Amino acid sequence: MKSRASIKGHPIHPILVTFPIAFFTGTLVFDVLSILKDNASYRQTADYLELAGLIAAIIAAVPGVIDYFFTVPPASSAKKRATQHGLANVLLLLIFAAAYLLRVKASFSVVIGLESAGFILMGISGWLGGTLVYRNQIGVDPRYAGAGKWNEAYLKDQDKLIEAAVSGELQNDQMKLLHIDGKRIVLAKTAEGYVAFDDRCTHKGGSLAGGMMVCGTVQCPWHGSQFASQTGDVKAGPATKNIHTYETLVKDGKIYLSLSTV
Ligand code: FES
């Protein structure tokens, strides 16, 4: 699922998170060194690193929040994981902020304790973030058969028939993700004609538009469930429930979609 906060298809959040990770790790390392070496300059370096980490974390959170709301498929296992990832990040930010504010007043063992807790939380959050990218493919910019690019459009449900594409826009086995008043529907072209179906895989909510379409069968990118795009029937699990399909109509070089389910 292509990131909504990206530059030329490169998601911004994974680029920016390297900064707070480096700064917060450096904070803990220099604070420990300042004790081991009894050297105040290490402690001062940690002061600066901690402040830089807090600022960098807030900046990195912006594209992360955009991806949370606009990229991660709703009502999916990835949304749950992304929520845990976000909460872990907020908590570790608060922990490092508390450690920064307590640097002068509290005992140094309290500061090191807080920073160690924040460091462990950062590892847990990184694990969740990695799963979101490497397993759930959040931020992956897919290509379709015939080297077609990821295709996406935002439409309004104003008429009975919604203009969804123009003919020639999609080749066989290519898909287009349509956002229609909060609904996510995939329009696809097969050898038999145009089809439309819910973007949500009935297993754990994977985005089918981010998967693969071969000979009219769409495969979910998360655990490989397959559905007949024409009828919505499950062809292979782990999904057990069919997906909803919608009527399409080709008229005057345009492809229309009706939201009444087939
Ligand atoms: S979410 Fe598991 S197969 Fe689609």
Side-chain angles (χ1 to χ4, degrees):
M1 284 128 273
K2 190 174 171 183
S3 167
R4 299 299 310 280
S6 61
I7 300 169
K8 290 188 179 264
H10 293 264
I12 300 169
H13 183 61
I15 299 170
L16 294 184
V17 294
T18 55
F19 292 95
I21 290 171
F23 292 148
F24 286 145
T25 304
T27 304
L28 181 59
V29 168
F30 275 90
D31 270 339
V32 171
L33 280 176
S34 76
I35 294 172
L36 295 177
K37 304 270 183 193
D38 195 21
N39 185 332
S41 65
Y42 283 129
R43 194 162 172 168
Q44 198 177 18
T45 305
D47 280 354
Y48 293 133
L49 283 171
E50 197 148 49
L51 181 60
L54 293 171
I55 294 167
I58 291 166
I59 295 171
V62 175
V65 169
I66 292 172
D67 277 342
Y68 177 81
F69 285 109
F70 301 109
T71 305
V72 181
S76 68
S77 58
K79 196 67 151 188
K80 200 168 146 196
R81 188 171 287 120
T83 303
Q84 292 164 347
H85 173 67
L87 289 175
N89 287 338
V90 169
L91 188 57
L92 78 89
L93 182 68
L94 292 175
I95 287 173
F96 275 103
Y100 182 73
L101 294 173
L102 291 172
R103 293 184 77 79
V104 186
K105 290 179 193 161
S107 108
F108 209 51
S109 57
V110 171
V111 172
I112 298 267
L114 283 170
E115 288 169 355
S116 300
F119 181 75
I120 292 167
L121 208 48
M122 200 160 60
I124 295 168
S125 175
W127 179 283
L128 292 168
T131 309
L132 283 166
V133 174
Y134 298 114
R135 193 190 301 159
N136 297 137
Q137 302 175 20
I138 306 301
V140 172
D141 185 0
R143 293 289 184 273
Y144 297 140
K149 282 194 179 180
W150 168 271
N151 218 330
E152 195 170 6
Y154 286 77
L155 305 171
K156 288 249 175 269
D157 178 16
Q158 284 166 330
D159 302 311
K160 223 170 146 207
L161 288 177
I162 300 161
E163 189 183 321
V166 291
S167 63
E169 195 178 321
L170 295 173
Q171 304 299 312
N172 278 357
D173 289 334
Q174 289 184 358
M175 298 183 270
K176 179 174 183 179
L177 176 60
L178 307 170
H179 300 263
I180 307 170
D181 293 345
K183 261 179 164 280
R184 292 164 62 114
I185 295 172
V186 182
L187 177 76
K189 190 176 179 214
T190 71
E192 280 76 45
Y194 288 92
V195 291
F197 49 88
D198 269 345
D199 180 49
R200 187 180 183 279
C201 172
T202 52
H203 178 225
K204 289 193 175 182
S207 165
L208 296 174
M212 231 190 316
M213 169 82 89
V214 178
C215 298
T217 296
V218 63
Q219 177 168 302
C220 176
W222 287 2
H223 313 96
S225 290
Q226 295 179 349
F227 303 90
S229 63
Q230 198 93 40
T231 59
D233 292 347
V234 175
K235 290 182 84 176
T240 54
K241 279 191 190 158
N242 298 344
I243 50 172
H244 284 300
T245 56
Y246 301 88
E247 275 177 33
T248 59
L249 174 77
V250 182
K251 198 177 160 198
D252 301 330
K254 290 177 179 162
I255 297 96
Y256 295 90
L257 172 75
S258 163
L259 284 192
S260 45
T261 48
V262 176

